[in-house]
């Protein structure tokens, strides 16, 4: 006869044994899931680029989608691959730390210290995200606008649409540089990481910042998913 329970039990047992091996063997642990990276099931729909191996579950993926849709209009969700990559960065299989490490918990491009997760971005990633001098304003997001809190230090303040290169009443761009942008995004970043029973804050910073001088790597912009079609074709011709 057909035993429908056996395949499920086998899968469940393999997952449990895999988790146990990770606990004993000192494998790297995901900041988001608290487990070793694995192929997600069900598959991720927002952070689908990480469906081969991920540090996220469907619940994390849903939080990322909610966060992105709170910043971008539905028609603009696929307009900015680098922004998607940033929001999905905690789903990357590299968003891990070693079980053997002590505070701060450090991974290839992030660390957890004093209940803050620092995500470190390489200049190459910021170039693909910002599309302008990092110390100046950008017009990359002008066609859609960004729905951000009015007060960047208060994520619960009323949101308005920021057109980054538009000037305000003082004659200054509404988002003057990439650091201002990262500060605003950090305040509303999806709460994917928990530590000591509570969600932790997120700080997204440039590589080389004093707060992350002990993190050796950074999140780069080398993924082909962040390239424009023209950029991808040029790369394939080389």
């Amino acid at each position: 006869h057909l035993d429908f329970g056996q395949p499920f039990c086998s899968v469940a047992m393999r997952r449990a044994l895999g988790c146990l091996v990770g606990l004993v063997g000192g494998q790297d642990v995901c900041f988001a899931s608290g487990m070793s990276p694995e192929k997600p099931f069900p598959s991720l729909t927002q952070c689908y680029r990480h469906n081969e191996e991920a540090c996220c579950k469907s619940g994390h993926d849903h939080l990322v989608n909610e966060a992105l849709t709170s910043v971008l209009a539905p028609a603009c969700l696929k307009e900015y691959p680098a922004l998607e990559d940033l929001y999905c960065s905690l789903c990357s299989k590299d968003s891990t730390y070693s079980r053997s490490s002590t505070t701060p918990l450090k991974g290839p491009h992030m660390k957890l210290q004093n209940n803050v997760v620092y995500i470190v971005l390489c200049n190459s990633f910021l170039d693909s995200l910002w599309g302008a001098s990092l110390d100046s304003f950008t017009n990359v997001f002008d066609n859609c606008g960004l729905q951000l809190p009015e007060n960047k230090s208060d994520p619960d303040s009323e949101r308005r649409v920021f057109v980054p290169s538009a000037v305000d009443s003082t004659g200054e761009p509404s988002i003057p540089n990439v650091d201002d942008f990262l500060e605003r995004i950090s305040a509303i970043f999806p709460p994917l990481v928990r530590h000591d029973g509570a969600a932790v804050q997120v700080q997204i910073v440039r590589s080389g910042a004093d707060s992350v001088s002990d993190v050796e790597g950074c999140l780069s912009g080398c993924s082909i998913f962040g390239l424009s079609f023209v950029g991808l074709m040029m790369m394939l011709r080389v």
Side-chain angles (χ1 to χ4, degrees), residues 181-203:
F181 174 78
L182 295 180
E183 186 177 352
R184 292 180 184 278
I185 292 296
S186 295
I188 56 174
F189 206 75
L192 303 188
V193 181
R194 297 180 63 82
H195 184 62
D196 291 338
V200 301
Q201 294 179 318
V202 172
Q203 288 289 324

Side-chain angles (χ1 to χ4, degrees), residues 33-74:
S33 70
M35 301 171 64
S36 296
E38 62 179 358
K39 185 176 180 64
F41 180 81
S43 296
L44 309 180
T45 56
Q46 178 64 60
C47 301
Y48 57 89
R49 295 166 186 162
H50 300 289
N51 271 332
E52 284 302 311
E53 191 175 13
C55 270
C56 283
K57 308 297 184 181
S58 288
H60 301 108
D61 190 59
H62 179 67
L63 288 178
V64 172
N65 176 262
E66 284 189 330
L68 267 175
T69 53
S70 73
V71 172
L72 295 171

